[in-house]
Amino acid sequence: MTNWEHYFGTPERAVLMCLEYCFEPMVLAVNRVEHINGRPVPVLVAWFNSFEEYTAWLKAEYEG
């Protein structure tokens, strides 16, 4: 089981998630890949300005 599977429940759901990290300014973006007209398109799920916000969101996903 990967960390993403742990937080999102199933491998099928976890494999669609993508994390983007920008160092300066510090930004974390979580995207979900959806297929639109047969093409993969990233859709923004959440946006964070700190690791603390990101980890709090992950914990909420796990508990929810």
Side-chain angles (χ1 to χ4, degrees):
M1 176 182 287
T2 67
N3 286 340
W4 285 93
E5 290 170 13
H6 174 75
Y7 288 108
F8 296 104
T10 65
E12 293 80 12
R13 187 169 174 214
V15 75
L16 297 176
M17 304 304 278
C18 174
L19 177 67
E20 294 181 32
Y21 174 73
C22 180
F23 180 70
E24 192 62 42
M26 200 325 230
V27 174
L28 289 159
V30 177
N31 297 305
R32 179 182 62 247
V33 177
E34 292 188 3
H35 288 77
I36 299 173
N37 295 328
R39 296 181 184 197
V41 177
V43 176
L44 183 65
V45 173
W47 180 279
F48 309 98
N49 293 317
S50 70
F51 284 115
E52 291 79 17
E53 291 176 11
Y54 173 64
T55 55
W57 176 77
L58 278 178
K59 288 179 184 176
E61 282 291 314
Y62 177 67
E63 293 169 359

